[in-house]
Amino acid sequence: MDFPRALRDRRTHRRLSQLDLALRAGTTQRHLSFIESGRSVPGRNMVLRLAESLELPLRERNELLLAAGYAPVYPESSFDDPALAPVRAAIEHIVRGHLPYPALVVDRNGDLIAANDTFDLITEGAAPELVGPGTNVYRLALHPDGIAPRIRNLAEWARHILARLGHLTQLRAELAGYVPELAPSDGSLGFAVPLHLDSSRGELRLMTTVTSFATAVDVTLAELKLEAFLPVDTATTAALSAASRPR
């Protein structure tokens, strides 16, 4: 990776001028201009300050350090690493605590890490190979053998899913082929993209929230996403509560 170009691309992608970034990083526009032109070689601390000022994900910060000729500083642990045992326990506590509403945790590729029992109501009827730990939840959502046939507003919901797959180009290309044409909008977007899903408990009307471990300094942990489903009407609340009760 060409460091000056990588830095310039990330700055322009965030629509920051050289002066804006220089002020954030505590340097001068002249110095930053020299770095981006290759006339000045930044020190390791300067690369870190620039990466932090650009608010880059930890993985990209490591990439920028490598491009500048420095070793990465943010570890990337295996999720099974004993050091992450407290994290695994916290995740299990969080998804269980969200009951009676569905909740799941995925990694940067959308592969399932954990889910609570009510998530079974979301996945019912899907092909077995699309469900369970390690499977891809985006493929589960849009594949014809997944939950797509049960989604009443599939075109709208699918575009919400595809918009989240910027770095997963191959998966996005695959899933885009399953998505029907979206009818012209009436111009009213509302406050969130809903999920209208048929289930054995009746139609579920849900919205989602996505949470990350914002203070993480481990790449693996920083890239985990907790997605929680919340009911938007009383019928859905009742259905989810009934589904979570012990049989």
Side-chain angles (χ1 to χ4, degrees):
M1 187 187 299
D2 176 10
F3 175 77
R5 178 181 296 178
L7 177 61
R8 186 169 57 252
D9 287 349
R10 284 159 174 75
R11 176 180 61 78
T12 56
H13 178 71
R14 284 159 179 77
R15 300 184 179 181
L16 292 173
S17 67
Q18 286 186 340
L19 179 59
D20 291 333
L21 180 56
L23 290 173
R24 289 186 180 190
T27 187
T28 65
Q29 181 180 0
R30 178 183 176 85
H31 186 203
L32 181 57
S33 176
F34 277 27
I35 292 174
E36 288 192 353
S37 67
R39 296 171 63 186
S40 178
V41 178
R44 177 174 173 273
N45 287 340
M46 175 56 68
V47 176
L48 280 171
R49 279 160 49 194
L50 291 169
E52 290 170 359
S53 300
L54 288 167
E55 299 180 350
L56 297 179
L58 300 190
R59 182 178 297 275
E60 286 193 50
R61 297 184 193 190
N62 278 345
E63 290 172 354
L64 208 59
L65 283 164
L66 283 169
Y70 301 107
V73 299
Y74 299 102
E76 183 175 357
S77 307
S78 165
F79 190 68
D80 297 327
D81 192 309
L84 293 187
V87 174
R88 293 192 297 273
I91 287 173
E92 184 176 347
H93 176 75
I94 291 169
V95 296
R96 193 168 58 241
H98 194 66
L99 290 169
Y101 308 140
L104 64 151
V105 176
V106 298
D107 65 15
R108 71 185 301 262
N109 297 318
D111 294 338
L112 184 66
I113 299 295
N116 64 16
D117 291 342
T118 319
F119 187 60
D120 291 346
L121 193 60
I122 304 291
T123 65
E124 62 182 8
E129 64 271 16
L130 296 177
V131 180
T135 59
N136 189 273
V137 297
Y138 303 132
R139 184 175 288 110
L140 168 69
L142 302 185
H143 196 282
D145 294 331
I147 68 172
R150 297 167 42 224
I151 300 177
R152 294 192 177 187
N153 60 334
L154 177 59
E156 182 184 23
W157 177 258
R159 275 153 183 76
H160 161 69
I161 296 293
L162 293 176
R164 298 164 59 180
L165 306 184
H167 69 290
L168 302 172
T169 53
Q170 290 186 337
L171 180 63
R172 192 181 193 283
E174 173 198 339
L175 300 186
Y178 304 139
V179 178
E181 291 295 327
L182 182 62
S185 171
D186 62 3
S188 176
L189 295 178
F191 63 88
V193 178
L195 171 62
H196 295 174
L197 183 69
D198 288 327
S199 78
S200 59
R201 300 278 180 174
E203 182 187 357
L204 305 177
R205 293 174 177 263
L206 302 157
M207 63 178 179
T208 62
T209 63
V210 178
T211 305
S212 61
F213 290 83
T215 59
V217 292
D218 184 282
V219 174
T220 301
L221 180 56
E223 292 176 339
L224 295 181
K225 295 290 184 292
L226 167 67
E227 184 152 6
F229 292 80
L230 298 168
V232 298
D233 57 29
T234 55
T236 301
T237 301
L240 295 175
S241 296
S244 70
R245 294 189 191 111
R247 295 181 180 85

